[in-house]
């Protein structure tokens, strides 16, 4: 396997996604991972805050015997105008793999063009591919078959939703995206996945109808990082899109609720649902670490 990056879900083949999830589950079950990435160095370049993605990647690498370097975007010469292409060429002489969390998606794609080591998207304004894979792992772990259950996204059609769209396109199960008008996923992405993959993505605007008989419900914040000045406008636009206990009654009684976190209780989800028996958010967070172990192994060792 030559140099591979993981910038969007569609960088992988269906069998590779299935293989990564199997491997992540194996790591979780057996804890048999010691020394697998001995001596390897992971650099994390983050322009935005992170709890889960940062710590789960660092912990994954350390548990497998590797090392990590956390580099806040602010502290690199990048912040003083050094070009991305120079940073990429220099850093890839020092480290074995890089995780980037950026505002602009093009920062990651440009970095990858010049990097001689694998580049992983740790969240950009377009995608959060690692999140979607660990979400999928959580869905499968809970015994939910996305081909048999109605899978619904409620909320903003941005980065996490767009990676879910790619998972749905790649694996071939239908996905309902329920968002307020004006907050749909990118038109070009929908066209791409529909024409190239025959993706079955339905865009709707009524949360009640969307969750009717759903088995898997996923949501995310109304105001993503970098959109803080739109907070008021978004809170108004998303009114009625909160995942409440009342809304959940319309789903299947054993439906599961996912949220990538951090959550804003009382906005996209209520405290009652987040802390309730149908919420799987803590396993979902944990699974990021197992999935990242499998992903690092895959990119570094071609396995
Ligand atoms: N879900 C997720 O990516 O969380 P962080 O922003 O804490 O990394
Ligand atoms: N959509 C959110 C996801 C955070 C993990 C954001 O971009 O801030």
């Amino acid at each position: 396997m030559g140099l591979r990056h993981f910038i969007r879900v569609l960088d992988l083949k269906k069998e590779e996604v299935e293989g990564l999830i199997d491997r992540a589950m194996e790591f979780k079950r057996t804890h048999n991972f010691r020394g697998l990435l001995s001596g390897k160095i992971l650099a994390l370049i983050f322009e935005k805050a992170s709890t889960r993605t940062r710590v789960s990647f660092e912990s994954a690498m350390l548990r497998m015997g590797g090392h990590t370097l956390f580099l806040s975007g602010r502290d690199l010469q990048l912040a003083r105008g050094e070009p991305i292409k120079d940073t990429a060429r220099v850093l890839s002489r020092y480290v074995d793999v890089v995780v980037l969390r950026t505002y602009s998606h093009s920062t990651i794609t440009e970095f990858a063009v010049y990097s001689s080591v694998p580049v992983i998207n740790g969240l950009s304004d377009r995608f959060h591919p690692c999140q979607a894979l660990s979400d999928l792992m959580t869905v499968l772990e809970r015994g939910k078959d996305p081909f048999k259950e109605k899978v619904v996204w409620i909320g903003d059609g941005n980065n996490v939703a767009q990676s879910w769209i790619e998972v749905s396109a790649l694996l071939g199960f239908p996905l309902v995206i329920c968002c307020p008008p004006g907050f749909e996923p990118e038109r070009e992405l929908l066209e791409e996945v529909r024409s190239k993959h025959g993706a079955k993505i339905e865009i709707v605007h009524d949360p009640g109808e969307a969750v009717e008989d759903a088995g898997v419900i996923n949501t995310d914040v109304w105001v993503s990082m970098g959109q803080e000045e739109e907070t008021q406008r978004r809170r108004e636009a998303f009114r009625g899109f909160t995942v409440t206990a009342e809304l959940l009654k319309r789903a299947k009684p054993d439906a599961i609720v996912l949220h990538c976190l951090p959550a804003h209780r009382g906005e996209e989800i209520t405290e009652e649902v987040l802390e309730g028996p149908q919420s799987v958010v803590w396993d979902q967070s944990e699974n990021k670490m197992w999935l990242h172990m499998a992903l690092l192994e895959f990119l570094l060792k071609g396995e």
Side-chain angles (χ1 to χ4, degrees):
M1 188 174 88
L3 175 62
R4 295 279 298 270
H5 302 298
F6 185 53
I7 296 174
R8 56 190 290 185
V9 171
L10 292 177
D11 288 337
L12 298 178
K13 299 189 183 81
K14 180 173 187 272
E15 310 75 69
E16 290 172 335
V17 166
E18 291 163 350
L20 283 175
I21 288 176
D22 285 350
R23 186 69 168 144
M25 287 186 178
E26 186 183 345
F27 283 142
K28 186 171 183 176
R29 195 174 59 247
T30 64
H31 283 229
N32 192 5
F33 45 73
R34 294 193 202 289
L36 287 178
L37 296 182
S38 176
K40 299 287 186 192
I41 303 176
L42 164 69
L44 302 104
I45 304 176
F46 279 42
E47 291 178 354
K48 294 175 185 168
S50 172
T51 296
R52 281 146 288 271
T53 306
R54 172 186 175 174
V55 180
S56 58
F57 262 115
E58 292 209 49
S59 168
M61 197 66 185
L62 296 170
R63 282 168 189 259
M64 295 174 93
H67 306 273
T68 67
L69 295 170
F70 181 76
L71 306 163
S72 150
R74 277 193 305 280
D75 301 331
L76 293 172
Q77 296 288 7
L78 205 51
R80 296 179 59 249
E82 184 169 19
I84 295 162
K85 60 185 181 181
D86 295 4
T87 309
R89 282 175 289 186
V90 170
L91 287 184
S92 47
R93 305 247 175 148
Y94 299 148
V95 305
D96 301 291
V97 53
V98 179
V99 179
L100 279 161
R101 171 168 283 200
T102 63
Y103 287 95
S104 168
H105 185 69
S106 63
T107 302
I108 303 182
T109 50
E110 186 181 348
F111 194 101
V113 168
Y114 291 93
S115 173
S116 54
V117 299
V119 173
I120 298 171
N121 180 354
L123 182 137
S124 68
D125 55 2
R126 292 194 70 203
F127 295 115
H128 197 1
C130 299
Q131 184 67 49
L133 292 195
S134 45
D135 290 358
L136 177 65
M137 172 179 171
T138 310
V139 168
L140 298 173
E141 183 182 59
R142 289 293 174 136
K144 302 287 177 196
D145 180 346
F147 288 89
K148 294 191 181 140
E149 303 282 353
K150 182 176 178 190
V151 182
V152 182
W153 175 272
I154 300 189
D156 200 359
N158 73 340
N159 45 19
V160 182
Q162 297 201 144
S163 285
W164 259 89
I165 286 174
E166 295 205 336
V167 168
S168 150
L170 192 65
L171 271 63
F173 64 82
L175 175 66
V176 177
I177 302 273
C178 180
C179 57
F183 295 89
E184 293 87 357
E186 295 163 15
R187 186 190 304 269
E188 308 74 51
L189 176 69
L190 291 171
E191 282 168 9
E192 179 188 350
V193 294
R194 283 175 177 147
S195 64
K196 285 197 198 153
H197 300 271
K200 302 176 205 70
I201 314 291
E202 193 186 346
I203 310 287
V204 299
H205 302 296
D206 181 333
E209 270 175 39
V211 302
E212 198 73 49
D213 294 324
V216 177
I217 298 168
N218 202 345
T219 190
D220 185 15
V221 293
W222 293 345
V223 183
S224 283
M225 289 181 277
Q227 299 174 334
E228 289 76 9
E229 73 287 358
E230 298 173 28
T231 301
Q232 210 40 47
R233 178 173 84 85
R234 285 175 165 272
R235 280 190 184 142
E236 281 159 26
F238 283 85
R239 198 172 297 135
F241 284 75
T242 308
V243 180
T244 60
E246 202 52 36
L247 187 70
L248 208 49
K249 282 191 193 139
R250 297 185 66 166
K252 283 174 128 180
D254 63 349
I256 56 169
V257 178
L258 294 103
H259 188 314
C260 62
L261 305 179
H264 292 84
R265 291 164 166 85
E267 290 194 11
E268 73 278 0
I269 194 165
T270 60
E271 166 89 1
E272 187 183 7
V273 174
L274 190 77
E275 301 286 357
Q278 287 169 269
S279 164
V280 298
V281 301
W282 313 119
D283 287 346
Q284 188 185 351
S285 287
E286 177 185 335
N287 287 341
K288 287 172 73 80
M289 182 180 75
W290 304 113
L291 193 283
H292 294 164
M293 280 186 176
L295 181 65
L296 288 165
E297 178 186 54
F298 173 77
L299 294 173
L300 285 168
K301 303 182 88 179
E303 285 166 14

